Amino acid sequence: MTKISPEIETNKMAMEAVPPVSADVSFISNSFPKYKLGADHQVYDEPAEDNHGPSLKNVIEQEASNLSDQHKRISVRDLATKFDKNLAAAAKLSNEAKLREVPSLEGHVLLKKLRDALESLKGRFTGRNKEDVEKAISMVEALAIKLTQNEGELIQEKFEVKRLVNFLKQASEDAKKLVNQEKSFACAEIESARSVVLRIGEALEEQEKAIQASKPQDVDGLVEEVQEARRIRLLHQPSKVMAMEYELRALRDQIQEKSIFSIQLQKELTMSKWDKENKSHLYMLDGSEALGSYLQVKPCSNEVPQVSQCSFQWYRLSSEGSWREVISGANKSIYAPDPLDVGRMLQVDIVSNGKKLTLTTIPIQTVSGLGSHVEALLRKSNTDFNVVISQMNGKDHSSHSTHSFNVGRMRIKLCRGWITKSREIYSPTMQLCGVRSDVGNAAKALFWQARKGLSFVLTFESEKDRNVAIMIARKYALDCNVVLAGPDDLV
């Protein structure tokens, strides 16, 4: 691009007619700015080379974005330092903006004087020279407008710089306040830690003094403890411990043997006692006085009446023999003890030819391991037993097929496969006990009255199953507030 300037003929214009420029005008540069005249006499600036770096506005925006990005990852002290630096830069930029105002005013004065000079020349020229002068005047006016626009932008930048300066001042003050606050907190923590350290030091000194004072006593105590430990170690050598274990086992075996022997002696003494009372020795009880067996009355000689010609009644006595209870339905020569009889003595009255004879047993003993087995089964919700129906409603049952006798927490069920014979919940009308008749395998048989009008005699696979079923059913019934026993039992 080329500099546009009006062509003036020197031979037609008197040089002395041009008014001189005032001496108080100062120029920033020695060359006239380069412009381009467009359509409608509009003036366009030629792009000048950027020799001064980015503009003030770009610098401010870049600094603001950098501060926003680093706000979360710099410390309070760094933030305060940054604010101080930015504040100094903003003050410098403000000073530079103030310096620019003077050249701007000088430019307006220069343009006004140049326009006045051109106006004075306009009246002196005619023709083409006059048009050139008019073009020059329009260019000067356009330059004045452009300068005014630049001044407006400069004022806006100045306002933004002032606002940024105020913001940075406030931020700097806030940062300084934060620094002072953190400093005060740190000093308080340091003082607190110092006091804690002093207290700990004093406590350690006191503890050290106490340890030094009690050291002789502790040494004596430790010596005594070591001596006691040595003595215990000598007493509890492995060989001696094994010997003591063997001695304990031998003592347990002896105690068990003596217990069995004591039971036998007690039985013999009881029998001898009742034999003295019953000198006739006409009848005797055959069988073991324990669960899982049965007792049977037998004659002692052929001279006495046979068992079939006698009448019987069994009784349940207390452990001391102070009272007795009639066992309803037990009027046969055979009786299998019920779990309810454990710990009590049994007694049977024999009536023959108008004479009455009484036989008494020792307290009925339980079976070893029966209690633990019952406790294990009680952890389940129900237990199944294999049984055979011997009698139903007092009549012999023809079928000998195996049924399932299920004892649950809320009810008892008797079934065969999918066919249910009876399923009843625990109720006061239900009865359950060992069989009290002279059926075969009496020790394995059980009497169960499910409800009024329906009763069974069930034979189990073993004596243990029969007693376990009775004990479990009575425990579940008791949990349901029902006492499950035999006919007319007082429990």
Side-chain angles (χ1 to χ4, degrees):
M1 297 179 64
T2 59
K3 180 172 68 176
I4 300 174
S5 60
E7 296 179 359
I8 302 174
E9 296 180 1
T10 58
N11 56 0
K12 293 182 180 180
M13 182 176 66
M15 297 303 293
E16 63 274 3
V18 179
V21 180
S22 175
D24 59 349
V25 177
S26 62
F27 297 94
I28 299 175
S29 62
N30 296 327
S31 62
F32 195 82
K34 296 180 180 181
Y35 298 96
K36 181 179 178 182
L37 186 63
D40 298 331
H41 303 290
Q42 292 183 0
V43 179
Y44 297 96
D45 293 338
E46 283 190 358
E49 294 182 357
D50 189 5
N51 297 326
H52 301 286
S55 64
L56 176 62
K57 186 175 182 179
N58 294 334
V59 172
I60 293 172
E61 291 178 354
Q62 184 66 27
E63 292 295 333
S65 63
N66 292 337
L67 287 176
S68 177
D69 294 337
Q70 296 179 1
H71 180 267
K72 294 183 179 180
R73 57 187 180 88
I74 58 178
S75 63
V76 177
R77 190 178 300 276
D78 295 338
L79 186 62
T81 305
K82 191 70 176 178
F83 278 140
D84 291 337
K85 291 180 180 179
N86 291 333
L87 183 60
K92 184 177 180 182
L93 292 174
S94 178
N95 294 331
E96 291 179 358
K98 290 180 180 179
L99 292 175
R100 290 181 184 179
E101 293 179 359
V102 177
S104 176
L105 293 175
E106 291 177 356
H108 280 287
V109 173
L110 178 61
L111 290 175
K112 185 177 182 303
K113 290 182 177 181
L114 181 58
R115 187 179 182 281
D116 294 339
L118 292 175
E119 286 289 342
S120 63
L121 289 175
K122 181 180 178 182
R124 298 180 183 182
F125 295 105
T126 60
R128 185 178 177 182
N129 293 329
K130 186 176 182 180
E131 293 177 358
D132 293 337
V133 172
E134 290 177 355
K135 288 182 180 180
I137 293 173
S138 64
M139 290 176 61
V140 171
E141 291 176 353
L143 288 173
I145 293 171
K146 189 68 175 178
L147 184 60
T148 303
Q149 291 177 356
N150 291 337
E151 287 179 355
E153 293 178 359
L154 184 62
I155 291 171
Q156 182 66 25
E157 291 180 358
K158 182 180 178 181
F159 175 74
E160 292 180 357
V161 169
K162 288 182 179 180
R163 186 175 62 181
L164 180 61
V165 168
N166 294 330
F167 171 75
L168 292 175
K169 284 183 179 180
Q170 184 64 33
S172 179
E173 292 177 359
D174 294 340
K176 289 179 180 179
K177 289 180 181 179
L178 288 174
V179 169
N180 295 331
Q181 186 177 3
E182 293 294 333
K183 185 177 179 180
S184 62
F185 288 162
C187 292
E189 291 180 358
I190 291 171
E191 293 296 330
S192 178
R194 186 176 298 170
S195 62
V196 170
V197 169
L198 292 175
R199 289 198 300 270
I200 293 174
E202 294 176 357
L204 289 175
E205 291 179 358
E206 294 178 358
Q207 185 177 3
E208 186 176 359
K209 291 179 181 179
I211 290 173
Q212 291 177 357
S214 62
K215 188 173 181 180
Q217 298 178 359
D218 294 342
V219 170
D220 296 338
L222 289 173
V223 171
E224 293 179 359
E225 290 181 1
V226 169
Q227 292 178 354
E228 183 68 17
R230 289 177 179 176
R231 186 180 67 81
I232 294 173
R233 181 180 178 183
L234 293 174
L235 291 175
H236 294 82
Q237 292 179 355
S239 58
K240 293 185 178 181
V241 172
M242 293 177 65
M244 293 175 67
E245 289 181 354
Y246 290 142
E247 291 179 1
L248 287 174
R249 291 178 184 176
L251 289 173
R252 290 194 188 99
D253 294 338
Q254 292 178 6
I255 291 172
Q256 187 174 3
E257 291 177 359
K258 290 182 179 180
S259 177
I260 295 172
F261 183 68
S262 174
I263 292 173
Q264 292 178 353
L265 287 177
Q266 185 178 1
K267 180 178 178 181
E268 292 177 359
L269 288 173
T270 305
M271 293 297 296
S272 63
K273 177 181 178 181
W274 290 106
D275 287 343
K276 289 180 181 179
E277 295 179 357
N278 302 281
K279 298 179 180 179
S280 58
H281 299 285
L282 301 177
Y283 298 94
M284 61 175 293
L285 288 174
D286 184 25
S288 176
E289 291 89 346
L291 281 178
S293 63
Y294 63 91
L295 299 173
Q296 184 177 9
V297 178
K298 290 185 177 180
C300 295
S301 64
N302 296 328
E303 298 178 357
V304 298
Q306 296 299 316
V307 174
S308 58
Q309 300 175 359
C310 302
S311 61
F312 304 91
Q313 180 59 56
W314 291 83
Y315 298 90
R316 185 179 295 119
L317 277 71
S318 64
S319 57
E320 298 84 6
S322 58
W323 55 269
R324 69 178 188 173
E325 170 193 349
V326 177
I327 302 176
S328 179
N331 50 15
K332 305 296 180 180
S333 61
I334 296 175
Y335 177 75
D338 185 273
L340 193 61
D341 300 327
V342 175
R344 300 181 182 182
M345 295 185 294
L346 297 178
Q347 194 174 72
V348 57
D349 288 346
I350 306 171
V351 179
S352 175
N353 296 329
K355 296 181 179 179
K356 181 179 178 182
L357 179 64
T358 302
L359 300 178
T360 307
T361 67
I362 63 172
I364 302 300
Q365 304 295 321
T366 186
V367 180
S368 177
L370 184 64
S372 59
H373 183 58
V374 170
E375 291 293 333
L377 293 178
L378 285 174
R379 299 189 185 98
K380 303 179 181 179
S381 59
N382 57 71
T383 307
D384 288 323
F385 300 94
N386 294 326
V387 298
V388 175
I389 300 177
S390 301
Q391 294 181 2
M392 183 173 178
N393 293 329
K395 297 180 180 180
D396 294 337
H397 197 264
S398 59
S399 176
H400 296 283
S401 59
T402 303
H403 290 66
S404 176
F405 186 69
N406 182 274
V407 181
R409 293 185 181 276
M410 303 300 297
R411 52 103 182 103
I412 297 177
K413 181 174 70 173
L414 179 64
C415 61
R416 186 184 66 179
W418 297 99
I419 302 173
T420 301
K421 291 286 185 179
S422 178
R423 180 171 57 189
E424 301 293 334
I425 63 173
Y426 298 109
S427 63
T429 59
M430 183 181 291
Q431 296 178 359
L432 184 72
C433 63
V435 71
R436 297 175 181 179
S437 60
D438 55 353
V439 297
N441 296 325
K444 299 180 181 180
L446 173 147
F447 171 77
W448 177 44
Q449 178 180 301
R451 60 179 183 273
K452 290 184 178 181
L454 181 61
S455 62
F456 300 92
V457 174
L458 307 176
T459 302
F460 287 74
E461 293 180 342
S462 64
E463 295 84 355
K464 183 178 180 180
D465 288 348
R466 174 255 201 181
N467 294 322
V468 168
I470 294 174
M471 296 173 71
I472 292 176
R474 287 175 177 172
K475 179 63 173 63
Y476 287 152
L478 190 61
D479 293 341
C480 297
N481 296 323
V482 175
V483 178
L484 198 60
D488 302 328
D489 283 343
L490 301 177
V491 292

